[in-house]
Amino acid sequence: MSQRKQTLGEFIIENQASFKYTSGELSRLINSIRLAAKVVNHEVNKAGLVDILGAAGDTNVQGEDQQKLDVYANTKFIQTMTKRNIVCGIASEEEDDFITINSQDENHQNKYVVLIDPLDGSSNIDVNVSVGTIFSIYRRVTPVGTPVTIEDFLQKGNHQVAAGYIIYGTSTMLVYTTGHGVNGFTLNPAIGSFYLSHPDMKFPEDGRIYSVNEGNYIHFPKGIKDYIKYCQMEEGDRPYTSRYIGSLVSDFHRNMIKGGIYMYPKSSKASNGKLRLLYECNPMAFLAEQANGKASDGFNRILDIQPTELHQRVPFICGSKNMVEKAEEFMRAAE
Ligand code: AHG
Ligand code: MN
Ligand code: MN
């Protein structure tokens, strides 16, 4: 008889002792993300049924169309974490500035800040293609009990204590790390529990999938163009297969399971690419490294970059170690 799979709740309790600081605060925080994920999942799943599709008629701080589900997911995650009073600050891709959380209790001891992309791949909602949520967690650097400052959010990615994503796909999964490997949990929608379905996830060292928006090819730097040509060359196990969903979460998830590389390079139109260092690249880079993969801006490790602003963008190359190293080689050679 097959053994019953561990639930996420059980996993969190069992692994709490391995966290650096064991007050249970981080466990409660991950629990609240789990709860918000279920609520957002419910909404994403019925997106085709109700009048929730389409633009909300608003644009976010970066001038992009906000979808109704972007707004909904943003509100739900912020509400859940605020109500439970377990974080001292939140920064979101959908908010102009960070949010300070004032506890009712003036001696509040909350230590963590959360940075979040509440709905990733939002252009895919209207066409029933997988979207996601990405989160990143740090310990504050300013004194506990005082209001958070920008310093608490502008930390290097290598200071993250936890990061993860939820993928609202053919099944819904929550995948996260606290710096002890990456574990994936699948939601059983009938019961409403996440079960450990993908323990200790690892990127294969090599892969045969490359994911990039090739429509922008003409605007890419020479190193990326050369690497794409290398992927397409007939030699050894090449040409590789091209797969691009347009939801970072989904492209990353597939590449981690099958082996592959994701690239959103800079271009002659966008000098730092499109993806946001704090809400997208850092959490994905932490997960990638915890899963034996690699994440780079083409020259430097993503997790070593000192952020200078909340909505900063950065070129992003991430995936199977040998593939990322090969792309970096082409970047250096084209300098
Ligand atoms: P978001 O929906 O949070 O704005 O992120 C979309 C991101 C990423 O998920 C995806 O890989 C990329 O943008 C797609 O961009 P292009 O349409 O330019 O390829
Ligand atoms: Mn995104
Ligand atoms: Mn988003």
Side-chain angles (χ1 to χ4, degrees), residues 72-122:
Y72 181 85
N74 188 45
T75 311
K76 277 298 157 208
F77 277 100
I78 291 174
Q79 261 178 9
T80 311
M81 287 185 280
T82 311
K83 274 197 190 140
R84 293 190 161 196
N85 186 26
I86 39 177
V87 288
C88 49
I90 303 172
S92 162
E93 185 190 88
E94 300 297 336
E95 302 284 336
D96 297 7
D97 210 346
F98 62 83
I99 299 167
T100 305
I101 299 181
N102 292 315
S103 163
Q104 322 304 347
D105 168 11
E106 55 185 37
N107 300 315
H108 69 97
Q109 295 296 302
N110 295 347
K111 290 186 290 287
Y112 295 102
V113 294
V114 174
L115 295 93
I116 190 160
D117 176 357
L119 207 81
D120 173 66
S122 43

Side-chain angles (χ1 to χ4, degrees), residues 93 117 119-122 134 248-249 275-276 279-280:
E93 185 190 88
D117 176 357
L119 207 81
D120 173 66
S122 43
I134 308 173
L248 168 64
V249 165
L275 300 184
R276 297 83 171 173
Y279 315 111
E280 293 168 319

Side-chain angles (χ1 to χ4, degrees), residues 176-297:
Y176 80 105
T177 182
T178 53
H180 303 275
V182 175
N183 291 286
F185 300 81
T186 303
L187 180 67
N188 179 338
I191 296 168
S193 295
F194 284 98
Y195 290 90
L196 179 60
S197 52
H198 295 62
D200 199 19
M201 298 179 82
K202 297 284 180 221
F203 271 92
E205 274 214 325
D206 276 299
R208 290 201 59 257
I209 297 173
Y210 72 103
S211 320
V212 63
N213 185 343
E214 263 179 281
N216 295 326
Y217 184 88
I218 195 80
H219 301 294
F220 286 158
K222 183 171 183 306
I224 295 292
K225 284 181 174 163
D226 292 345
Y227 179 67
I228 292 174
K229 283 292 154 227
Y230 167 88
C231 294
Q232 297 171 341
M233 214 177 277
E234 181 124 52
E235 202 183 322
D237 60 348
R238 287 169 288 138
Y240 295 153
T241 292
S242 163
R243 288 281 183 277
Y244 187 70
I245 296 169
S247 298
L248 168 64
V249 165
S250 315
D251 281 309
F252 179 99
H253 187 73
R254 182 207 52 242
N255 289 347
M256 178 159 62
I257 291 170
K258 295 194 166 177
I261 185 170
Y262 174 96
M263 296 178 281
Y264 209 109
K266 69 173 186 180
S267 71
S268 49
K269 281 160 89 192
S271 57
N272 289 312
K274 174 184 184 188
L275 300 184
R276 297 83 171 173
L277 174 60
L278 298 182
Y279 315 111
E280 293 168 319
C281 303
N282 271 339
M284 289 318 216
F286 187 25
L287 286 160
E289 289 196 5
Q290 285 295 318
N292 283 357
K294 213 173 162 171
S296 156
D297 68 357

